[in-house]
DNA sequence: CACTTGACCTGTCCGC
DNA sequence: TGCGGACAGGTCAAGT
């Protein structure tokens, strides 16, 4: 579920609440969510303190003072929920749940207990998410990190770089390129649709057909949309609540995502939902036209 | 190599 | 109300 802006929002919450906290215990309720040897966990996690919290793409990086890092990927349905020592929910969780903590629940996969009494619950309904331990010295080479493209808000995500990637992936639908984490890190399905609408490019266009002017619009749009997402604290719906405890409100702001059947805010045409690159895809047929007809009428 | 598809899971929603 | 099927925000491995 979470894309770059959601993960960044969670990162900020974690940085505030767990930096400097000592980890007193680790409970793994579902083994594949945190496939680490118990002996290793006891040696490098239990008793260690969280020295800082980082993010790369959609991966959360908790740096421990043991020389190891704890990586977390939330995939589709992962959540981080922080609970105070007295059991009251400090942050995170499902918007429909009461604030009274009744955790762990059936989707809790891992629990970190801090010496202060705070607890961090890693909930993940669909079990796609994971936590992993990596020596800090090997972080850059880790499989989850090493193939990631530049952060879209970083200086190395230049227009020139984007143009090169569009050329390399000329045969793919532009939407597939935006979702490819080796091209750029942090963009997911929502922000891909939003960026393409803002830059007025049809999601099924081949990347190679995108003009220089369109590329420039797209480059700007991706940065603007991701920035807005972070400013609004991420997108909030079924599974997402940021770890500061407030709901993100970006979904209220979307231009096309989950707005099929409603009027485009720019031109008033009806937003369409279709399937591109195997993913649910929303766009405005008037703002984002296909330049050439896909199926030629028989004549 | 570039690109597509299926698999990983559980839950929900929609049509019959 | 129950049941089958499609679908859900992300990545991989394996296929063409």
């Amino acid at each position: 579920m979470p894309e770059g802006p959601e993960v960044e929002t969670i990162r900020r919450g974690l940085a505030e609440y767990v930096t400097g906290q000592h980890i007193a215990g680790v409970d793994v309720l579902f083994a594949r969510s945190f496939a680490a040897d118990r002996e290793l966990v006891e040696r490098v996690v239990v008793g260690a303190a969280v020295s800082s919290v980082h993010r790369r793409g959609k991966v959360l990086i908790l740096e421990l003072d043991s020389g190891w890092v704890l990586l977390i990927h939330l995939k589709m349905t992962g959540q981080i929920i922080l609970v105070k020592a007295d059991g009251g929910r400090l942050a995170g969780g499902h918007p429909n749940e009461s604030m009274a903590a009744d955790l762990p629940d059936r989707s809790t996969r891992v629990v970190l207990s801090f010496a202060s009494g705070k607890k961090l619950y890693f909930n993940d309904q669909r079990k796609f998410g994971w936590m992993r331990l990596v020596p800090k010295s090997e972080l850059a080479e880790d499989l989850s990190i090493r193939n990631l493209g530049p952060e879209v808000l970083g200086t190395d995500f230049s227009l020139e770089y984007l143009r090169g990637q569009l050329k390399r992936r000329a045969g793919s639908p532009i939407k597939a390129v935006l979702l490819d984490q080796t091209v750029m890190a942090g963009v997911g399905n929502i922000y891909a649709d939003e960026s393409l609408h803002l830059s007025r490019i049809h999601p099924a266009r081949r990347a190679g057909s995108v003009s220089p002017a369109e590329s420039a619009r797209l480059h700007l749009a991706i940065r603007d949309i991701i920035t807005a997402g972070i400013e609004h604290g991420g997108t909030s719906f079924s599974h997402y609540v940021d770890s500061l405890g407030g709901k993100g409100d970006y979904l209220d702001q979307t231009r096309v995502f989950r707005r099929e059947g409603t009027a485009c805010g720019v031109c008033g045409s009806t937003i369409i939902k279709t399937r591109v690159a195997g993913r649910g895809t929303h766009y405005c047929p008037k703002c984002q036209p296909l330049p050439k007809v896909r199926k030629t009428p028989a004549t």
Side-chain angles (χ1 to χ4, degrees):
Chain A
M1 121 299 154
E3 307 182 23
E6 288 73 33
V7 179
E8 174 58 21
T9 302
I10 293 166
R11 186 200 69 75
R12 292 176 183 185
L14 283 177
E16 178 176 347
Y17 287 111
V18 308
T19 300
Q21 295 269 316
H22 283 80
I23 298 166
V26 179
D27 287 313
V28 179
L29 282 60
F30 181 73
R32 280 173 36 210
S33 294
F34 190 9
D37 289 345
R38 190 68 222 179
E39 175 274 326
L40 180 65
V41 171
E42 294 290 341
R43 184 159 59 84
V44 306
V45 181
V46 177
V50 177
S51 26
S52 53
V53 185
H54 308 274
R55 176 187 62 79
R56 181 77 175 89
K58 301 170 189 171
V59 181
L60 281 168
I61 304 167
L62 276 66
E63 188 175 333
L64 307 179
D65 65 2
S66 59
W68 287 65
V69 293
L70 180 59
L71 302 181
I72 306 175
H73 199 307
L74 300 171
K75 292 288 182 86
M76 309 272 267
T77 55
Q79 299 175 286
I80 299 292
I81 307 166
L82 293 167
V83 172
K84 289 187 288 190
D86 65 10
R89 188 159 299 183
L90 185 62
H94 192 286
N96 295 329
E97 289 169 357
S98 69
M99 287 306 285
D102 48 354
L103 293 164
D105 64 22
R106 82 183 126 174
S107 70
T108 304
R109 308 304 176 199
V110 181
V111 185
L112 297 189
S113 301
F114 294 93
S116 64
K118 285 179 188 169
K119 288 178 189 271
L120 184 161
Y121 294 87
F122 173 43
N123 275 25
D124 184 22
Q125 179 182 109
R126 286 171 73 180
K127 300 179 177 175
F128 290 171
W130 46 256
M131 297 175 72
R132 300 225 322 273
L133 282 170
V134 178
K136 188 186 172 187
S137 59
E138 295 171 19
L139 178 61
E141 292 80 49
D142 189 80
L143 285 170
S144 66
I145 301 289
R146 72 175 187 205
N147 295 129
L148 291 176
E151 296 290 320
V152 294
L153 297 184
T155 51
D156 42 357
F157 182 65
S158 63
L159 175 56
E160 183 179 42
Y161 168 84
L162 177 61
R163 298 261 296 145
Q165 292 296 303
L166 296 185
K167 192 171 179 181
R168 177 172 76 86
R169 299 290 306 277
S172 285
I174 184 67
K175 169 146 178 182
V177 179
L178 296 195
L179 291 175
D180 184 342
Q181 301 299 297
T182 73
V183 171
M184 63 190 87
V187 175
N189 206 35
I190 300 172
Y191 296 97
D193 282 1
E194 295 296 293
S195 300
L196 288 167
H197 181 262
L198 180 57
S199 53
R200 308 195 300 279
I201 299 170
H202 191 291
R205 294 263 306 279
R206 302 294 115 176
S209 80
V210 174
S211 73
E214 288 171 328
S215 306
R217 288 209 303 268
L218 177 60
H219 180 250
L220 201 59
I222 293 167
R223 289 175 172 254
D224 284 354
I225 290 289
I226 292 289
T227 300
I230 293 171
E231 284 174 357
H232 286 276
T235 308
S236 180
F237 56 99
S238 67
H239 291 278
Y240 176 67
V241 171
D242 70 72
S243 63
L244 291 172
K247 287 171 63 176
D249 64 357
Y250 189 73
L251 194 58
D252 299 335
Q253 319 282 321
T254 62
R255 309 164 63 91
V256 289
F257 189 81
R258 282 209 171 175
R259 297 216 179 279
E260 61 269 31
T262 71
C264 170
V266 174
C267 76
S269 300
T270 302
I271 303 296
I272 303 284
K273 180 173 183 185
T274 181
R275 191 158 274 268
V276 175
R279 310 296 302 279
T281 297
H282 314 70
Y283 69 99
C284 170
K286 187 171 174 191
C287 294
Q288 301 164 270
L290 265 182
K292 57 183 178 184
V293 183
R294 308 180 73 190
K295 293 179 183 175
T296 316
T299 44

